Amino acid sequence: IWDAICKEMAAHPRGPTCVCGDLNAEPGDIPILNNLLVRDGWVDLGAKAQIWGQPPGEYTCITSNTKIPTRRDYVFVNPDLFPMITNFCVDHDEIYPTHATCDFGFPPTTSHTTNPSSNDPSLSMNLLTTISSAHITLLFYTPNPADD
């Protein structure tokens, strides 16, 4: 899946980018993701949570089978988006017993202008993308038949 994510990102003009999800792995165990983090300057927000006054590496998952907390839900941002991030926290709520929510925010009127190189006339103008949401809450839910 990380190969597909990288191909999708390469097909678009560079800009603020976020990839998040339930990895069921450590980031270092996924070579493509590890390269994004180490070589390309991507940031694991949860690993840097102390920037926003939160504990780094906070657990995000407790399964019904083990009750041992793990960190399997991640938010990764590229170097274009990272400076825009205004907050990050992991919210443990009893409503969602298996996965916590990962909350992060960025300014509501941040704009990014790109000029893609393409022969398609509809893409030859400057594109202005306005990020209109000031706060994003991500809930990762992986159905587990054992929980039914």
Side-chain angles (χ1 to χ4, degrees):
I1 192 165
W2 283 95
D3 184 50
I5 289 169
C6 287
K7 286 178 181 173
E8 180 68 23
M9 288 187 301
H12 299 279
R14 182 178 168 141
T17 305
C18 171
V19 178
C20 40
D22 180 347
L23 294 187
N24 286 326
E26 297 292 325
D29 295 337
I30 303 170
I32 294 173
L33 174 57
N34 193 54
N35 283 340
L36 289 172
L37 294 166
V38 173
R39 184 190 67 207
D40 298 339
W42 281 63
V43 178
D44 170 357
L45 295 184
K48 302 284 187 183
Q50 73 277 5
I51 294 170
W52 303 282
Q54 302 296 317
E58 175 75 12
Y59 76 92
T60 61
C61 183
I62 301 177
T63 64
S64 60
N65 296 337
T66 66
K67 298 295 182 196
I68 298 171
T70 59
R71 184 167 176 251
R72 292 295 181 243
D73 306 305
Y74 295 86
V75 178
F76 303 104
V77 297
N78 74 348
D80 297 328
L81 182 56
F82 182 62
M84 298 179 199
I85 301 298
T86 59
N87 66 291
F88 174 86
C89 72
V90 175
D91 184 15
H92 301 281
D93 190 326
E94 292 180 12
I95 295 172
Y96 310 107
T98 302
H99 290 271
T101 56
C102 296
D103 298 327
F104 67 101
F106 48 86
T109 58
T110 303
S111 295
H112 177 72
T113 304
T114 61
N115 188 5
S117 57
S118 172
N119 292 330
D120 182 345
S122 66
L123 297 177
S124 62
M125 66 180 128
N126 283 344
L127 298 178
L128 177 65
T129 304
T130 302
I131 301 170
S132 60
S133 176
H135 184 79
I136 297 175
T137 300
L138 299 171
L139 169 65
F140 302 96
Y141 176 72
T142 306
N144 182 349
D147 290 339
D148 291 339

